[in-house]
Amino acid sequence: MFNKEGIFMKKDYIVKMEKDEWGKILTHVYEHKKNEVKVDGFRKGQVPYDIYVKNFGLESLYMDAVDHALPELYDKMLEENTDLTFNMACRPEVDVKSISNDGLEIVFHVTMKPEVKLGKYKNLGIKKEEASVSDEEIVHEIEHLREHYVEMKDKSGKVEKGDEVNINFEGFKDGKAFDGGKGENYSLVIGSNTFIPGFEDALIGMQVNEEKDIDLTFPENYHSEELKGAKVVFKVKVNSIKERILPEYNEEFFQDLNMEGVTDYESLKNNVMEHIKGHKTAEIEDKYFDECLSKVSEEAKMDVPEEMINEEVDRITNEFSQRLSYQGMNIDTYLKMLNTDIDTFKANFKPEAEKRVKYRLVIEQVVKAEDIKVNDKEVDDYSKEMAKKYGVDESEFLSQIGGKEFLKYDLEVRKAIEIITK
């Protein structure tokens, strides 16, 4: 298959598994399958191989056997065609060419990476911003830190903004209580804007055990059709009031912070400034990197295979799904919340996927254009450095990431990026 410029994009590789090796896999699958079937005259799991084949056919083993054989055949294809490791665009499609007791032949339909014709990729004229931090940002971050150490103290006076009140409440529309409008011993910080506009303001000035009817109107854009723009009455009772006491800037507070080198307000300001500046610098670097790669991609000419984009969409989806799992949620539950299906959801990632693929392709082409080389010492040093960083044995690290060839590739990419972003 060719792209519109006539450049070869796909190639078929036929890989064969001979009878002896194929027979071992069929036997392995049979050992599992025999535990799932029942044959008269034999106890479950004790059916001999020839009796199993006679009753269920050798073909009943094929599907699982092919699944077992594919990884080995895939590795064999790469061993016989070493150029494929970094020239394949994505995981190949697979078809069975022939299958019998005598062996297995698999066809790997390999999509090759497209030809990339670079435009300008050096001295792009993109200006990198300078990270600066204002006094207002420093003060805001320090106040945010103080919030972590706030103390709540019982208060006997009137409710003020910033206080935390414990209330009972119930909402009524046309004299009837509405769903979701009732709460008991509910804690609410005045000024948090947790409730609809006007509710929290109406509590200001109330005292403990005081009861009050609050007349309000729900916003026109409220999520409940029943309550959009509705006039309601909330019956409220204040059970308790607590005031928020922020810590003083004293020795105890600086000790509680447990921040290296922070012993007073001035050192705290310096620490916070460096933290904000570091965060901003990272954001600026990311933005600059993206602008440079975007410019190089726009200048380049390439015909990106749809298979590459689809595989990248799957990768992004898996990354998203993994992040959800860290929050105790799975992708199916998330999709139900959004009232959408997986295909529609994945379609949203397509522009980002195409961008990532193009970035990767132009970087690899810069490696070729600049004839970037990485020597064995660089790879060895990098391997030791990364293993130490992740706290694992070097051999284990190399096994996890796919060997030194992938480290070499990573270093080549890094050198290419340095050229692009210089």
Side-chain angles (χ1 to χ4, degrees):
M1 182 180 293
F2 297 83
N3 70 3
K4 56 192 175 186
E5 294 179 351
I7 301 167
F8 192 75
M9 295 284 286
K10 277 198 173 183
K11 188 174 180 181
D12 290 346
Y13 291 85
I14 299 173
V15 187
K16 185 174 182 179
M17 180 170 281
E18 301 296 341
K19 183 175 182 178
D20 288 348
E21 192 63 31
W22 175 236
K24 291 176 184 177
I25 290 180
L26 288 173
T27 301
H28 174 76
V29 172
Y30 149 75
E31 291 293 341
H32 288 274
K33 286 279 190 181
K34 71 179 182 180
N35 297 314
E36 302 171 2
V37 299
K38 186 176 180 181
V39 176
D40 291 342
F42 297 94
R43 286 184 297 171
K44 193 172 184 180
Q46 300 299 314
V47 183
Y49 183 81
D50 57 337
I51 300 297
Y52 177 95
V53 172
K54 181 179 179 181
N55 278 268
F56 302 102
L58 190 64
E59 296 80 6
S60 66
L61 302 175
Y62 284 168
M63 185 177 293
D64 288 344
V66 168
D67 287 341
H68 279 77
L70 275 177
E72 183 177 333
L73 292 173
Y74 179 76
D75 290 342
K76 184 179 179 182
M77 177 186 69
L78 294 182
E79 288 171 8
E80 294 175 351
N81 305 274
T82 54
D83 62 309
L84 280 182
T85 303
F86 295 109
N87 286 326
M88 272 195 302
C90 50
R91 295 288 292 186
E93 297 174 5
V94 179
D95 281 325
V96 176
K97 186 175 187 296
S98 67
I99 186 169
S100 69
N101 190 43
D102 294 326
L104 169 69
E105 279 187 312
I106 291 291
V107 182
F108 291 99
H109 305 289
V110 178
T111 300
M112 309 299 288
K113 289 179 181 177
E115 180 180 355
V116 178
K117 294 181 179 179
L118 290 171
K120 188 174 183 180
Y121 63 89
K122 298 180 185 177
N123 305 315
L124 298 172
I126 298 172
K127 188 175 180 182
K128 188 190 296 187
E129 299 174 25
E130 290 289 335
S132 62
V133 183
S134 68
D135 290 340
E136 289 78 9
E137 289 175 302
I138 295 172
V139 170
H140 179 270
E141 182 62 25
I142 289 175
E143 288 302 308
H144 183 67
L145 279 173
R146 288 179 79 199
E147 288 288 339
H148 290 293
Y149 298 89
V150 70
E151 291 183 24
M152 305 305 298
K153 184 178 179 182
D154 286 330
K155 179 178 176 180
S156 58
K158 296 180 179 182
V159 175
E160 296 179 274
K161 190 170 184 178
D163 288 345
E164 181 179 284
V165 295
N166 182 282
I167 58 174
N168 297 339
F169 64 90
E170 186 168 16
F172 296 84
K173 177 188 174 185
D174 299 328
K176 294 182 179 179
F178 55 83
D179 291 340
K182 183 176 181 179
E184 293 187 356
N185 294 316
Y186 186 93
S187 292
L188 173 65
V189 176
I190 305 302
S192 64
N193 300 316
T194 305
F195 278 59
I196 62 172
F199 185 92
E200 294 172 29
D201 289 341
L203 298 180
I204 294 174
M206 292 183 69
Q207 300 183 62
V208 175
N209 293 323
E210 184 178 346
E211 298 182 21
K212 183 178 182 179
D213 288 354
I214 302 174
D215 295 318
L216 293 173
T217 302
F218 272 88
E220 292 291 343
N221 62 349
Y222 194 68
H223 61 81
S224 168
E225 289 293 332
E226 178 192 0
L227 297 174
K228 280 182 178 179
K231 292 184 177 181
V232 298
V233 176
F234 279 98
K235 295 183 178 294
V236 181
K237 178 186 177 184
V238 175
N239 300 318
S240 66
I241 308 170
K242 292 181 183 290
E243 61 179 326
R244 296 159 59 81
I245 309 296
L246 288 168
E248 298 291 332
Y249 293 115
N250 53 28
E251 184 178 353
E252 182 182 358
F253 173 63
F254 297 124
Q255 287 178 348
D256 287 341
L257 287 176
N258 194 30
M259 296 167 70
E260 187 176 354
V262 174
T263 56
D264 54 24
Y265 188 76
E266 196 61 32
S267 57
L268 175 60
K269 280 179 63 179
N270 291 334
N271 185 289
V272 168
M273 182 192 69
E274 290 299 324
H275 173 77
I276 297 174
K277 189 172 183 179
H279 184 70
K280 282 190 171 185
T281 299
E283 287 183 339
I284 288 170
E285 289 290 340
D286 288 343
K287 181 183 176 185
Y288 179 69
F289 169 83
D290 192 70
E291 288 176 343
C292 289
L293 267 293
S294 178
K295 180 71 173 175
V296 174
S297 297
E298 289 170 7
E299 294 277 343
K301 291 181 180 179
M302 67 189 96
D303 188 18
V304 181
E306 194 69 18
E307 293 90 341
M308 287 189 80
I309 297 172
N310 291 337
E311 184 172 88
E312 192 65 30
V313 167
D314 289 339
R315 186 177 292 114
I316 295 172
T317 304
N318 290 336
E319 290 170 0
F320 187 89
S321 180
Q322 191 171 37
R323 289 196 298 271
L324 281 179
S325 69
Y326 295 150
Q327 301 170 30
M329 185 184 297
N330 61 47
I331 190 71
D332 292 333
T333 303
Y334 185 78
L335 292 176
K336 286 179 182 177
M337 289 171 58
L338 294 181
N339 193 29
T340 189
D341 58 73
I342 188 65
D343 290 333
T344 304
F345 180 69
K346 288 168 75 170
N348 296 320
F349 293 137
K350 195 163 185 178
E352 174 64 21
E354 185 172 2
K355 184 182 82 169
R356 287 191 188 185
V357 170
K358 286 183 175 180
Y359 284 8
R360 189 160 65 243
L361 288 171
V362 294
I363 289 171
E364 290 175 357
Q365 192 60 33
V366 170
V367 171
K368 295 177 183 177
E370 292 290 322
D371 195 25
I372 293 173
K373 304 294 184 187
V374 174
N375 61 47
D376 291 343
K377 185 178 184 307
E378 288 177 288
V379 175
D380 289 340
D381 290 346
Y382 188 41
S383 175
K384 290 179 174 59
E385 177 189 337
M386 297 304 289
K388 184 178 180 181
K389 178 181 177 180
Y390 291 109
V392 296
D393 182 76
E394 186 179 359
S395 59
E396 181 184 348
F397 170 73
L398 288 171
S399 173
Q400 289 174 353
I401 58 99
K404 290 188 176 182
E405 279 301 311
F406 285 90
L407 281 185
K408 181 181 178 183
Y409 172 82
D410 189 41
L411 285 170
E412 288 171 348
V413 165
R414 288 170 179 267
K415 289 186 176 185
I417 290 172
E418 286 178 8
I419 292 171
I420 294 169
T421 58
K422 187 179 290 185

